[in-house]
């Protein structure tokens, strides 16, 4: 440090601190005297990069596993609250996939192998104990398919063929859900809605089965019905490659209407507020308001029918694709939606683990000497554990002499010599100052 101070008038030294926090929180933690010596530069976190990463992971064409709404909300909220970087977010997603494939034995069904080594007897029993299997069997019973349920319970070959078909069907349906999320995100850019949501937020709603009747869909459909002809042309051009059926035909019909109109003004549908007005009349010193709808031209009437057709196509598509993924058979295989592993790893609680280790050291040491003393104090426990448990049994004021007497009563032996007593006293003197870390 002396050498650094010697060169400060000749060589400028700058210390950079990278802090992932807000300016307000940073100012609250530091004294004003320190802040006056700092030159701070604010960098906005690129939230869009994380959204793009989540979108790329969730909408891949080779997707076999999808993140559920619970774990998706957990990852996104953790990124928003702690402002973690893209690298940390990537590790969180990788851990989710690793947890599913390493901790869920049913994940072998996502592979391409159909050999007998995969479909073992234990796998069949695991499938029959799933909640989705029970619900699937109940649905078959409601349809009076008693023979199918009997085969599912007793015939392993029939169950294997059913599982393979349902896995393929579930993948197709979940890919349709993600394609609908892409469509909704594109529609938000084409129409003016009251509120716009990010792609991950729409995905989370869709995977929870809440997107079909959500305010997001209602606002989009309402805005589509109010679009003028030029805005409708732009929207249909954007949806040319979408899976919507009949969009190309509607686009051709709209182009024909645009060519037939005799004005430069865009066509407007019957749902547009341009055709509606409010009139105020005074009757007997009272103001009465009445709604007035202007008459539509022939071209506007034709355009209104086309807009209603677009609305019907969108409604039918949303009704068909926006399912509830949790109702799918074998959704436990196709989706990962457990939050507790992520909380334990990325938001650990070390205090609880330390307290549990000090209270029950045998759970961590695995020794046989403490087998008979699972609860309470024992001379076989480590000295730190004994002192901690005595601390818990003490009151608000602790007498050091009494604490030593209790400690020596447990640790010491009746036939101990003076030299052993001195060693235990030295151990007590060392541990007592460290007891402050217990809280």
């Amino acid at each position: 440090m002396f050498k650094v101070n010697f060169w400060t008038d000749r060589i400028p030294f700058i210390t950079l601190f990278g802090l992932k926090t807000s300016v307000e929180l940073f100012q609250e933690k530091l004294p004003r005297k320190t802040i006056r010596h700092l030159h701070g530069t604010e960098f906005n976190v690129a939230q869009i990069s994380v959204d793009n990463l989540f979108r790329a992971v969730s909408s891949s064409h080779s997707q076999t596993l999808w993140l559920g709404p619970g774990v998706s909300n957990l990852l996104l909220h953790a990124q928003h609250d702690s402002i973690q970087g893209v690298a940390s977010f990537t590790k969180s997603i990788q851990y989710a996939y690793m947890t599913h494939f390493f901790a869920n034995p049913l994940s072998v069904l996502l592979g391409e192998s159909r050999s007998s080594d995969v479909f073992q007897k234990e796998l069949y029993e695991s499938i029959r104990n799933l909640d989705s299997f029970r619900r699937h069997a109940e649905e078959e019973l409601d349809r009076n398919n008693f023979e199918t349920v009997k085969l599912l319970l007793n015939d392993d070959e029939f169950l294997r063929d059913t599982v393979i078909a349902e896995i393929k069907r579930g993948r197709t349906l979940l890919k349709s859900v993600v394609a609908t999320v892409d469509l909704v995100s594109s529609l938000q850019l084409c129409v003016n809605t009251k509120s716009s949501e990010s792609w991950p937020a729409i995905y989370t709603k869709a995977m929870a089965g809440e997107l079909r009747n959500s305010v997001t869909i209602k606002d989009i459909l309402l805005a589509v019905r109010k679009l003028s002809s030029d805005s409708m042309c732009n929207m249909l051009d954007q949806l040319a490659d979408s899976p919507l059926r009949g969009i190309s035909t509607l686009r051709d019909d709209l182009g024909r209407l645009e060519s037939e109109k005799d004005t430069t003004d865009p066509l407007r549908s019957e749902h547009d507020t341009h055709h509606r007005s409010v009139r105020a009349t005074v009757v007997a010193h009272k103001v009465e308001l009445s709604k007035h709808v202007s008459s539509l031209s022939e071209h506007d009437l034709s355009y209104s029918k086309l807009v209603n057709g677009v609305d019907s196509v969108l409604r039918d598509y949303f009704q068909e694709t926006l399912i509830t993924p949790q109702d799918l058979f074998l959704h436990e295989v196709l989706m990962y939606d457990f939050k507790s592993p992520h909380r334990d790893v990325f938001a650990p609680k070390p205090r609880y683990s330390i307290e549990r280790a000090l209270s029950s050291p045998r759970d961590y040491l695995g020794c046989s000497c403490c087998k008979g003393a699972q609860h309470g104090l024992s001379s076989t426990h480590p000295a730190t554990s004994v002192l901690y448990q005595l601390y818990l049994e003490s009151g608000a004021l602790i007498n050091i002499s009494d604490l030593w007497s209790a400690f020596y009563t447990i640790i010491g032996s009746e036939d101990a010599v003076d030299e052993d007593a001195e060693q235990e006293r030295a151990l007590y003197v060392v541990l007592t100052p460290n007891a402050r870390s217990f809280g």
Side-chain angles (χ1 to χ4, degrees):
M1 181 60 67
F2 174 76
K3 294 181 179 180
V4 172
N5 292 332
F6 182 77
W7 291 99
T8 51
D9 58 342
R10 304 182 185 184
I11 303 176
F13 290 92
I14 300 176
T15 305
L16 299 178
F17 298 93
L19 302 176
K20 297 180 180 179
T21 183
S22 61
V23 178
E24 294 79 9
L25 185 61
F26 181 62
Q27 290 179 348
E28 292 178 0
K29 297 299 181 181
L30 291 180
R32 295 182 179 179
K33 183 178 180 180
T34 304
I35 295 177
R36 283 196 294 266
H37 293 281
L38 296 179
H39 176 71
T41 303
E42 181 181 2
F43 298 91
N44 294 323
V45 179
Q47 178 72 22
I48 188 64
S49 61
V50 175
D51 292 348
N52 288 340
L53 174 62
F54 186 84
R55 181 173 185 174
V57 171
S58 304
S59 59
S60 175
H61 294 289
S62 58
Q63 191 82 2
T64 57
L65 176 65
W66 286 264
L67 299 179
V71 70
S72 298
N73 265 327
L74 179 65
L75 295 177
L76 295 171
H77 287 170
Q79 196 280 332
H80 180 268
D81 295 339
S82 60
I83 320 180
Q84 63 181 2
V86 178
S88 300
F89 190 74
T90 304
K91 293 179 181 179
S92 301
I93 295 179
Q94 290 175 345
Y95 183 80
Y97 281 87
M98 183 194 71
T99 304
H100 182 78
F101 285 104
F102 279 83
N104 187 359
L106 296 175
S107 61
V108 298
L109 298 174
L110 297 177
E112 300 297 333
S113 177
R114 299 292 181 262
S115 62
S116 58
D117 295 337
V118 174
F119 285 88
Q120 301 177 358
K121 182 179 179 180
E122 293 79 8
L123 182 61
Y124 291 122
E125 294 300 323
S126 300
I127 295 173
R128 291 188 176 105
N129 283 282
L130 292 175
D131 292 337
S132 61
F133 177 86
R134 187 180 300 109
R135 184 168 54 251
H136 179 71
E138 292 174 354
E139 292 175 354
E140 293 294 335
L141 290 176
D142 294 338
R143 302 188 191 99
N144 297 326
N145 296 330
F146 305 108
E147 189 64 27
T148 302
V149 177
K150 184 178 180 180
L151 291 173
L152 287 173
L153 293 174
N154 301 321
D155 192 342
D156 292 343
E157 295 295 330
F158 182 81
L159 178 60
R160 183 187 65 178
D161 296 338
T162 303
V163 167
I164 294 174
E166 289 296 328
I167 288 290
K168 184 178 179 180
R169 172 177 171 270
R171 286 177 177 175
T172 302
L173 292 176
L174 289 176
K175 287 182 180 180
S176 298
V177 172
V178 177
T180 306
V181 174
D182 290 333
L183 176 63
V184 173
S185 180
S186 300
L187 286 174
Q188 284 189 152
L189 300 177
C190 298
V191 300
N192 294 324
T193 57
K194 295 181 179 179
S195 60
S196 180
E197 293 183 305
S198 62
W199 195 96
I202 301 173
Y203 172 86
T204 303
K205 286 185 177 181
M207 299 305 288
E210 301 173 355
L211 186 59
R212 179 192 295 180
N213 299 321
S214 65
V215 179
T216 304
I217 296 296
K218 294 179 181 179
D219 290 345
I220 289 176
L221 294 176
L222 179 61
V224 167
R225 290 195 298 268
K226 294 181 179 181
L227 286 180
S228 59
S229 59
D230 51 355
S231 299
M232 182 64 73
C233 287
N234 295 331
M235 188 193 77
L236 295 180
D237 291 338
Q238 294 290 332
L239 302 180
D241 298 331
S242 67
L244 293 173
R245 293 185 295 269
I247 285 296
S248 58
T249 303
L250 293 171
R251 179 64 183 89
D252 296 338
D253 295 341
L254 181 58
R256 188 180 67 256
L257 289 177
E258 284 286 324
S259 61
E260 292 177 354
K261 68 178 184 179
D262 50 1
T263 61
T264 58
D265 296 333
L267 300 175
R268 301 183 181 275
S269 67
E270 58 186 358
H271 307 285
D272 198 327
T273 56
H274 180 78
H275 297 294
R276 300 181 182 183
S277 60
V278 178
R279 294 182 178 181
T281 57
V282 179
V283 179
H285 302 287
K286 294 182 179 180
V287 178
E288 295 182 355
L289 300 178
S290 59
K291 295 182 179 180
H292 176 71
V293 180
S294 59
S295 58
L296 300 177
S297 63
E298 181 179 354
H299 293 93
D300 288 338
L301 287 174
S302 301
Y303 177 68
S304 299
K305 294 180 180 179
L306 186 141
V307 170
N308 293 333
V310 174
D311 180 76
S312 299
V313 169
L314 291 175
R315 287 180 183 272
D316 294 342
Y317 181 77
F318 292 150
Q319 190 71 20
E320 177 185 354
T321 59
L322 291 179
I323 61 172
T324 303
Q326 287 74 16
D327 294 340
L328 291 175
F329 181 31
L330 299 176
H331 72 85
E332 298 93 343
V333 181
L334 297 169
M335 294 173 56
Y336 173 78
D337 198 26
F338 294 99
K339 296 183 289 185
S340 56
H342 271 73
R343 288 175 177 171
D344 296 340
V345 173
F346 293 96
K349 299 178 180 178
R351 182 179 181 86
Y352 171 76
S353 301
I354 295 173
E355 291 177 349
R356 185 171 180 269
L358 293 173
S359 301
S360 303
R362 181 179 178 276
D363 296 343
Y364 290 83
L365 299 178
C367 56
S368 59
C369 58
C370 302
K371 185 176 182 180
Q374 296 184 6
H375 303 285
L377 296 171
S378 174
S379 59
T380 59
H381 286 171
T384 307
S385 176
V386 173
L387 186 62
Y388 175 72
Q389 294 182 60
L390 290 174
Y391 159 75
L392 294 179
E393 295 177 0
S394 304
L397 298 178
I398 302 176
N399 190 301
I400 297 298
S401 178
D402 294 341
L403 185 63
W404 155 248
S405 300
F407 179 79
Y408 182 73
T409 302
I410 298 172
I411 296 297
S413 58
E414 296 180 355
D415 55 349
V417 296
D418 294 340
E419 184 178 351
D420 295 336
E422 291 298 327
Q423 291 180 357
E424 292 168 356
R425 183 183 294 274
L427 179 62
Y428 172 77
V429 171
V430 172
L431 293 177
T432 303
N434 296 332
R436 295 179 180 179
S437 61
F438 298 158

